[in-house]
Amino acid sequence: QVQLDESGGGSVQPGGSLRLRCRASRSIFSVFIGYTMAWYRQAPGKQRELIASINSDGTANYDDSVKGRFTISRDNSQKTVTLRMSSLKPEDTAIYYCNANQNGQHSWGRGTQVTVSS
C-alpha cells in the first residue's frame, strides 16, 4: 500500500475556492503512474462518496454535484494529485479523502476538513 498525505483544507465562504493536494509517499514513480487517483468526501451523517477521479492517462471523471466547479489533476513526477475547488457551496462541507486504486487495492489518506460557511 501507498501512504497518502493530504493538505489544503480549511474554511471558506460560499463562492470561495480551495485547493487540496495529496502526495503519495513511499511510492516510486513507476508504481504511482499506474494508480487511479481519486478524491472522496464524507459529510456528517452521510456515506463517503466519490467526487472525482483521474486515471493513469489523465482521463478525469466527476460526480454531477461538482462537475464544472472542481478540477482534478495529477503530477506523476511529483507523485501528487490536486483538487481545485471553486464556487464552493455549504453542501460541499465534508472531510475530503485522497484515494489510490491499483487493481482494486485501495489506499486512503487520513482526510482533510473543508468547511463552507458564511
Side-chain angles (χ1 to χ4, degrees):
Q1 282 190 331
V2 61
Q3 180 172 320
L4 301 173
D5 301 311
E6 301 114 332
S7 61
S11 296
V12 65
Q13 292 186 340
S17 300
L18 282 174
R19 184 182 67 179
L20 305 183
R21 179 163 289 174
C22 171
R23 185 175 186 278
S25 58
R26 300 181 188 174
S27 174
I28 59 176
F29 169 79
S30 60
V31 175
F32 179 80
I33 59 175
Y35 290 128
T36 293
M37 301 299 298
W39 287 94
Y40 288 69
R41 68 185 180 188
Q42 187 167 18
K46 295 188 177 181
Q47 289 187 333
R48 192 174 298 188
E49 60 176 354
L50 172 64
I51 56 170
S53 65
I54 185 166
N55 63 18
S56 57
D57 69 3
T59 301
N61 289 284
Y62 300 93
D63 184 79
D64 286 344
S65 64
V66 305
K67 198 173 293 183
R69 300 187 299 122
F70 292 10
T71 301
I72 188 171
S73 60
R74 64 190 293 164
D75 184 336
N76 291 328
S77 66
Q78 298 296 319
K79 297 177 292 182
T80 59
V81 60
T82 299
L83 185 69
R84 290 177 172 82
M85 307 183 293
S86 62
S87 303
L88 283 161
K89 305 174 182 180
E91 51 264 44
D92 293 318
T93 296
I95 299 174
Y96 285 68
Y97 296 91
C98 181
N99 172 274
N101 179 11
Q102 186 179 41
N103 298 322
Q105 187 170 21
H106 291 262
S107 299
W108 294 92
R110 292 185 176 183
T112 184
Q113 176 71 46
V114 171
T115 302
V116 185
S117 174
S118 55

